[in-house]
Amino acid sequence: MERVKCLIIGSGPAGYTAGIYAARANLHPVLYEGLQVGGQLTTTTVIENYPGYPEGIDANEMMEQLRSQALRFGTDIRSGSVSSVDLHTRPFRLIIDGKEELEADSLIIATGATARYLGLDDEQKYRGKGVSVCATCDGFFFRKKKVAVVGGGDTACEEALYLSQLCEKVYLIVRKNYLRASDIMKKRVAEKDNIEVLFEYNTTGLFGEQKLEGAHLVYKKGEKDEENRDLPIDGFFLAIGHTPNTSLFKGQIELDENGYIVTDGITTLTSVEGVFAAGDVADPRYQQAITAAASGCKAAIDAEQFLNNIN
Ligand code: NDP
């Protein structure tokens, strides 16, 4: 069975940065990219807040550059997903794509987080027929149409702004009476004539014959029936936060109440010796590309130190 010194799971900024540092430290890292190569950033448009790009950079291009940098130093980047993991004994045992087995002396988990749905049955019914979690991926299909974005954070504003360039009208459905997003995003949204913010509305269902035709909205949790409305829309975009991708590790490693991996203080050490966590999977608070990259660097340094100590 193949045995690797340092195995990295995930190909977002955390995973690739861990690869760059681990390769330069001669740990011969093997990195499995998972299903979404390049991670969540590849579902967004332009990155404006990553230091070093004064004019911003296309998210896919940035991830391609991080990948090339990891490759350049010798990270063995492989396509495939880890389907199961046994952290009870070391070396750790992993199964790739349900068949290939391998062992790892150290593991860096950088599996990120996944976009959340509201939990309505209708969301699944109209998935691919009007419901989406990615404006960049699907916005094109709604040119000159009416769409809604759910959420009040930076992602929701970013999605609404992106869609406002393509669509006739964009509704931003916000459950509170304010936007949680940063001031600059709020200002940009306010300046767009074709974005209308619907404060204190919740979506209770979707409707449409073959494809989505609208959403049932309830005002202030149904307090005022006369304010409830059926909003005619062709597209319904969710931007309500994320769930950490930790199902593989449940029961084997300490997770917090929301499923994020718990790390020790400022380090990337987890409750299992030899396992390190980097990026959004262990960060319910910041969830930025730059903080994910930084923790990928820390994880590689922590793994190096761990491997030096056991050898
Ligand atoms: P956030 O957690 O910041 O926001 C989630 C939003 O969804 C909140 O407004 C929340 O409402 C709402 N929400 C959650 N659940 C529901 C629900 N069931 N029904 C209706 N609304 C719901 O997530 P984001 O993805 O927006 O941002 C994550 C992080 O990434 C943040 O730190 C953000 O600043 C950053 N980011 C930065 C960007 C940039 O700088 N360009 C771009 C995108 C993200 P409520 O407020 O009521 O809790």
Side-chain angles (χ1 to χ4, degrees):
M1 192 189 311
E2 183 183 7
R3 181 165 173 172
V4 302
K5 247 176 147 172
C6 177
L7 190 99
I8 302 166
I9 317 178
S11 56
Y16 286 144
T17 306
I20 294 167
Y21 275 77
R24 287 170 60 88
N26 230 7
L27 305 184
H28 308 292
V30 170
L31 183 153
Y32 278 93
E33 292 188 300
L35 290 177
Q36 192 170 42
V37 176
Q40 269 194 93
L41 276 189
T42 56
T43 66
T44 188
T45 40
V46 176
I47 308 292
E48 291 184 328
N49 52 8
Y50 199 92
Y53 300 104
E55 304 305 324
I57 180 164
D58 174 83
N60 283 291
E61 195 184 330
M62 188 176 101
M63 292 319 298
E64 196 43 56
Q65 289 184 359
L66 285 180
R67 187 177 190 277
S68 306
Q69 200 173 350
L71 276 174
R72 183 184 149 214
F73 294 112
T75 306
D76 181 352
I77 298 179
R78 300 179 186 177
S79 56
S81 296
V82 175
S83 37
S84 75
V85 109
D86 182 357
L87 303 179
H88 294 104
T89 50
R90 234 185 23 245
F92 308 118
R93 287 193 150 208
L94 298 103
I95 297 181
I96 314 299
D97 291 333
K99 38 185 199 290
E100 194 190 333
E101 258 192 277
L102 59 79
E103 291 181 326
D105 292 318
S106 68
L107 181 66
I108 296 177
I109 301 172
T111 47
T114 299
R116 246 186 239 146
Y117 286 82
L118 291 170
L120 306 169
D121 289 341
D122 291 343
E123 285 169 317
Q124 300 313 319
K125 182 171 166 192
Y126 294 104
R127 225 168 142 175
K129 297 175 189 157
V131 171
S132 168
V133 289
C134 177
T136 334
C137 319
D138 302 326
F140 183 78
F141 303 115
F142 300 95
R143 274 170 307 159
K144 299 195 170 71
K145 296 195 168 169
K146 292 192 175 83
V147 298
V149 176
V150 185
D154 279 328
T155 305
C157 290
E158 199 173 69
E159 301 274 89
L161 287 164
Y162 177 79
L163 290 166
S164 72
Q165 297 165 44
L166 299 168
C167 304
E168 181 194 323
K169 174 94 183 182
V170 181
Y171 297 97
L172 189 55
I173 305 171
V174 183
R175 67 178 172 185
K176 292 205 173 119
N177 63 356
Y178 62 89
L179 289 170
R180 174 204 288 220
S182 53
D183 285 347
I184 187 166
M185 295 303 251
K186 283 195 263 200
K187 186 165 174 278
R188 284 182 191 167
V189 164
E191 282 168 358
K192 278 279 173 186
D193 289 339
N194 62 342
I195 300 182
E196 182 180 341
V197 186
L198 302 176
F199 285 111
E200 296 187 89
Y201 274 99
N202 278 292
T203 311
T204 54
L206 304 170
F207 59 89
E209 288 291 325
Q210 301 298 322
K211 57 183 181 56
L212 182 73
E213 289 170 22
H216 301 297
L217 302 190
V218 164
Y219 182 61
K220 282 196 178 180
K221 297 195 172 118
E223 277 170 35
K224 293 183 188 172
D225 281 352
E226 67 277 14
E227 301 279 1
N228 297 347
R229 58 194 282 189
D230 283 346
L231 191 69
I233 44 167
D234 305 284
F236 185 74
F237 290 81
L238 292 140
I240 58 168
H242 298 86
T243 304
N245 298 325
T246 49
S247 55
L248 271 180
F249 315 104
K250 229 173 229 165
Q252 302 197 64
I253 200 169
E254 189 184 349
L255 306 177
D256 74 7
E257 65 280 10
N258 296 315
Y260 287 89
I261 296 177
V262 174
T263 48
D264 185 7
I266 60 163
T267 74
T268 63
L269 275 63
T270 69
S271 60
V272 179
E273 212 184 359
V275 179
F276 308 90
D280 289 6
V281 74
D283 178 9
R285 187 180 168 107
Y286 299 104
Q287 303 201 318
Q288 300 298 300
I290 185 71
T291 51
S295 68
C297 152
K298 289 182 0 179
I301 292 173
D302 288 340
E304 182 190 7
Q305 198 166 40
F306 165 76
L307 291 166
N308 285 341
N309 288 341
I310 60 164
N311 288 327

